Amino acid sequence: MIEHANIIKKVYFPRIIIPASAILVSLLDYAITLFFYIVLIFYYEVKVTISIFLMYSGICLLITFFSTLGFGLFLAAANIRYRDLRYATPFLLQFLFFATPVIFPISSFTPGRLLLPSR
């Protein structure tokens, strides 16, 4: 957006399209992957439980889409204001990936808390 600011200022269109396009591309990837997932569910004859249905439902997808869109719009606006944020964002995301816990205690894996498909 910063590199082509002159072109964006000359033509009127909704400015939200530019940050949302990255999310919509990921949504297309999700749809293709979901198709193959459904094919494999039928191939392996997995019993679809309510937890699997809710996990891949449109409600979760909408919540993820709008929260990602909000965070992306915030970062896009902050990137316009503070130009160095574009270099700091990947560093902070990588730091957060390493800061999340990878090893969980065995007590967190009680049978009632797992969302595994039943056969």
Side-chain angles (χ1 to χ4, degrees), residues 50-95:
I50 191 71
S51 62
I52 292 176
F53 178 73
L54 289 176
M55 189 169 26
Y56 293 101
S57 68
I59 296 169
C60 293
L61 188 63
L62 282 175
I63 291 170
T64 304
F65 175 77
F66 284 117
S67 63
T68 305
L69 182 65
F71 189 65
L73 289 175
F74 171 74
L75 284 178
N79 187 26
I80 299 277
R81 177 81 172 139
Y82 306 106
R83 301 283 172 101
D84 290 336
L85 190 65
R86 147 176 128 176
Y87 302 111
T89 303
F91 173 75
L92 291 174
L93 284 175
Q94 189 174 14
F95 174 75

Side-chain angles (χ1 to χ4, degrees), residues 37-55:
Y37 181 70
I38 291 172
V39 167
L40 287 174
I41 280 178
F42 285 121
Y43 179 75
Y44 287 110
E45 299 174 357
V46 175
K47 180 182 171 189
V48 179
T49 61
I50 191 71
S51 62
I52 292 176
F53 178 73
L54 289 176
M55 189 169 26

Side-chain angles (χ1 to χ4, degrees), residues 16-28:
I16 198 170
I17 290 175
I18 296 172
S21 64
I23 301 169
L24 292 175
V25 168
S26 298
L27 195 61
L28 180 67

